[in-house]
Amino acid sequence: NAEYGLQYVSFQGSESCSEYELTLEAIAADECFELEHECLEDCSVLCDILQFDHFHYDHCSPNEWKDYMFEVKEEHLENNLIVEVDTAFGDNVVTDFEAVGLYMFRDTLPSDRKTDKFNVFSAEMSWSIAVNSHELTVGNYFFSVKCGMSPVKFRMLAQLTTAHMTEGERVAGVVCPGEIMYHYAQVGDTTTTASSGHKMLLSESSTTYGHAKFTIQVHSGNLFYLSRHEHPPLKLIPPYQSTSYIEQMSTNTLSEIGICDMTAGQHYLALKGGTECSHYEVTLALMGETEACEELQHDAQAAGNAYDSMTHLYPGHSIVGSCEANSFTDYYLNISSMDAESNFVLEVHDALNDIDTSAI
């Protein structure tokens, strides 16, 4: 199923030099089988190795699983990890919102395919899973695509987006419902800007390092944004605001968030997925101590005061939570006019596999 463009094959030397000959011939599509890689100790499990920033084209039959893997190394840890699957390319036409499901596994690929990281519904024909820099660890990550009720052609893209940003840098990313992505400015005696190479310390006696401003441009969907000094925000806690592609287009304005009077350390921008996946770009500008700076003010209308202490649920997306003995944990779900014509099923899974049927 080669498409128009360059097609590559590569060889890597092993323990000794090797002389080889390479021939090329055209064969019928039904006689072609892609290379499979044995990526687990269990020789019965085969999967393809994903390369960062390269599309991987594949297809699946109804209810078939396709498995992929890549290794996260130490040098990757200052990044957010994003894996996307889409069906909207070339003359490929797919209209089923549940055409495929995308599932993520850490370290091993379980035979039962149970995971709390998955995406099984997309109105944009693009399914994605993100792991932010705060959660990313060294090791193997496995992603599985499960075909729906019909055969589907799809492509996958694995990307690392910068979490640690420098002045003037523009970073693109995607965040989906239930996910949170981090970008941060780091200041201190050893921090330099990308554009000038000089340290950001403004004076020898200063205890602050001026201000920072993140600018957010949304290309699709909607999201929430918030900032914190020194520590990444782990959940959506005021003050925060929301923005969307439609809002920015209609007002012809981008969203800006100031981080004022920075002390030595890391200062975070967090982007949390809204009601649909959002593609965005973020830029960072550094400002001096004497320049005007305003921290984010909470927009109560963005979520409603009654919901500030609750977690937002989104159809087709899992959320991991916990509760103490005899305590309540609250969630809420927005039902649109289109959703009102559907049945609603809520499932809670006991991650401890406790046999106590009255545990929750």
Side-chain angles (χ1 to χ4, degrees), residues 149-194:
M149 300 303 295
S150 303
V152 175
K153 290 182 179 180
F154 62 89
R155 63 181 180 180
M156 296 185 69
L157 180 65
Q159 293 179 298
L160 293 172
T161 64
T162 301
H164 178 196
M165 295 183 62
T166 52
E167 184 175 19
E169 186 174 10
R170 178 183 293 269
V171 175
V174 60
V175 62
C176 287
E179 297 177 343
I180 187 167
M181 300 292 278
Y182 297 123
H183 302 281
Y184 66 89
Q186 180 170 320
V187 295
D189 292 339
T190 60
T191 301
T192 60
T193 67

Side-chain angles (χ1 to χ4, degrees), residues 44-64:
S44 65
V45 180
L46 300 175
C47 60
D48 291 335
I49 301 297
L50 291 179
Q51 302 295 328
F52 289 119
D53 299 318
H54 288 279
F55 280 112
H56 178 91
Y57 291 84
D58 209 337
H59 63 279
C60 56
S61 303
N63 297 314
E64 181 185 9

Side-chain angles (χ1 to χ4, degrees), residues 142-354:
F142 297 88
F143 287 85
S144 295
V145 175
K146 184 184 181 183
C147 209
M149 300 303 295
S150 303
V152 175
K153 290 182 179 180
F154 62 89
R155 63 181 180 180
M156 296 185 69
L157 180 65
Q159 293 179 298
L160 293 172
T161 64
T162 301
H164 178 196
M165 295 183 62
T166 52
E167 184 175 19
E169 186 174 10
R170 178 183 293 269
V171 175
V174 60
V175 62
C176 287
E179 297 177 343
I180 187 167
M181 300 292 278
Y182 297 123
H183 302 281
Y184 66 89
Q186 180 170 320
V187 295
D189 292 339
T190 60
T191 301
T192 60
T193 67
S195 57
S196 64
H198 64 269
K199 293 181 180 180
M200 289 170 52
L201 183 61
L202 300 180
S203 64
E204 292 298 329
S205 60
S206 176
T207 58
T208 62
Y209 294 74
H211 320 301
K213 180 176 70 176
F214 288 99
T215 302
I216 307 164
Q217 181 176 4
V218 179
H219 296 291
S220 66
N222 54 76
L223 54 80
F224 297 95
Y225 60 96
L226 62 159
S227 64
R228 290 293 185 272
H229 294 270
E230 298 180 359
H231 303 286
L234 301 181
K235 58 192 300 185
L236 199 62
I237 300 176
Y240 62 85
Q241 293 192 12
S242 64
T243 186
S244 68
Y245 170 73
I246 295 177
E247 176 186 335
Q248 292 191 354
M249 286 292 291
S250 60
T251 61
N252 197 31
T253 57
L254 305 181
S255 301
E256 296 181 346
I257 180 170
I259 301 181
C260 308
D261 301 321
M262 295 186 294
T263 56
Q266 297 174 346
H267 302 266
Y268 287 86
L269 166 70
L271 303 174
K272 185 172 178 60
T275 59
E276 55 184 304
C277 292
S278 178
H279 290 78
Y280 66 86
E281 286 185 296
V282 174
T283 56
L284 171 66
L286 302 177
M287 304 180 292
E289 290 177 299
T290 59
E291 297 184 64
C293 180
E294 183 178 358
E295 293 271 359
L296 184 68
Q297 302 298 312
H298 185 54
D299 180 9
Q301 190 176 1
N305 290 331
Y307 302 136
D308 283 346
S309 61
M310 302 183 188
T311 300
H312 194 170
L313 295 177
Y314 302 95
H317 292 267
S318 64
I319 290 179
V320 180
S322 63
C323 57
E324 301 295 332
N326 298 313
S327 68
F328 286 91
T329 303
D330 301 318
Y331 304 86
Y332 72 96
L333 175 71
N334 287 328
I335 300 295
S336 68
S337 58
M338 293 180 59
D339 297 330
E341 298 299 321
S342 303
N343 298 307
F344 170 57
V345 179
L346 176 65
E347 181 178 348
V348 179
H349 171 66
D350 183 359
L352 297 178
N353 295 316
D354 199 324

Side-chain angles (χ1 to χ4, degrees), residues 14-33:
S14 185
E15 296 178 353
S16 60
C17 293
S18 175
E19 295 183 359
Y20 63 88
E21 293 183 0
L22 181 66
T23 59
L24 175 65
E25 61 178 309
I27 60 175
D30 58 359
E31 298 177 1
C32 183
F33 298 93

